[in-house]
Amino acid sequence: VELAATPFFPQTEYHCGPAALATVLASVSPVATPARLGDEVFLPARTGTLQLEMIAGARRHGAVATRLPGTLEALLRELGAGHPVVVLQNLGLSWYPAWHYAVLVGYDLETGDVILRSGTTERLALPMRTFEHTWVRAGSWAFVALPPGRWPATAEESAVVEAAVGFERAAPPAQAVTAYRSALER
C-alpha cells in the first residue's frame, strides 16, 4: 500500500509538526499550509509542537482528529483504508529524546519497509522494525485527520467519543452534528 497522492511539505527547522499536519489536512482544508499552521501550533519556547496542539490544529481546520490504537497493525490498516497517519517518533535515545512528527503513507510487507513523508524527504523508506522501535519509544502516538462523517478503520469507541467531543468545541454546529451522527452509526 502506498498513498502516493499524499502531498509533501518539506519541513523547515523544528517545524515537522506543522509540515506533518499540513500533509494530512490537504484534502480537508486547503488553507492549512505549513506556514499558517506554524503560526498556529508551533511553540517557540519548546522549539516544537505538542501533541495536543496537533490535534487542536486539525480540529480548527475542520478535520476530526482521532487517536489510533498503539499497534503497528492499526497503522497498516489505516493505510489500507486510504488514511495517511501522523506519527510521533523519538529519533534519539530514551534518556535524550529527539522528537519528530512524520506522516506514514505506505508499507511494503515484501521488503519489510514503511514509507514516510518525513523532514525534507518526500519518500523515506524505513525498515518496519526501525520505524516501530522509534514510534514505540515515543509512546506509540498516532492519529488521523478526516472530514466530519468519516472515521478511522481502527478507531476504538473511547477515541471516537473523545474526537467527536473535541471536534464539537471547534466546529460549526452542523458539522458537529454530522460527526456525532456518523459516530453513533459507527
Side-chain angles (χ1 to χ4, degrees):
V1 171
E2 183 170 356
L3 307 177
T6 304
F8 172 64
F9 298 100
Q11 80 173 67
T12 56
E13 189 174 16
Y14 301 117
H15 276 79
C16 61
L21 193 53
T23 298
V24 297
L25 288 178
S27 65
V28 178
S29 175
V31 299
T33 63
R36 182 170 182 176
L37 290 167
D39 291 339
E40 295 175 11
V41 302
F42 180 74
L43 303 171
R46 294 217 180 233
T47 61
T49 304
L50 300 175
Q51 295 153 309
L52 181 62
E53 297 297 329
M54 293 288 283
I55 298 285
R59 291 173 179 160
R60 279 193 299 272
H61 284 275
V64 180
T66 310
R67 290 272 319 271
L68 299 178
T71 66
L72 185 59
E73 177 191 358
L75 303 184
L76 301 184
R77 284 185 55 206
E78 289 305 325
L79 292 171
H83 306 148
V85 179
V86 175
V87 295
L88 178 63
Q89 297 173 277
N90 177 357
L91 302 177
L93 304 169
S94 59
W95 53 273
Y96 191 73
W99 307 112
H100 178 65
Y101 291 105
V103 179
L104 189 61
V105 296
Y107 65 90
D108 184 336
L109 292 178
E110 199 171 293
T111 64
D113 291 339
V114 296
I115 302 157
L116 300 157
R117 303 274 190 266
S118 180
T120 58
T121 306
E122 182 173 4
R123 189 180 186 280
L124 176 65
L126 193 64
M128 203 173 288
R129 291 185 63 175
T130 302
F131 165 76
E132 188 173 22
H133 183 71
T134 62
W135 181 59
V136 168
R137 200 166 46 213
S140 303
W141 191 85
F143 78 95
V144 296
L146 299 173
R150 290 183 49 205
W151 293 99
T154 61
E156 297 171 340
E157 182 179 357
S158 61
V160 168
V161 170
E162 178 184 317
V165 169
F167 180 71
E168 177 188 12
R169 292 182 182 135
Q175 288 184 344
V177 168
T178 299
Y180 279 121
R181 281 193 178 132
S182 63
L184 285 171
E185 290 172 11
R186 171 71 188 271

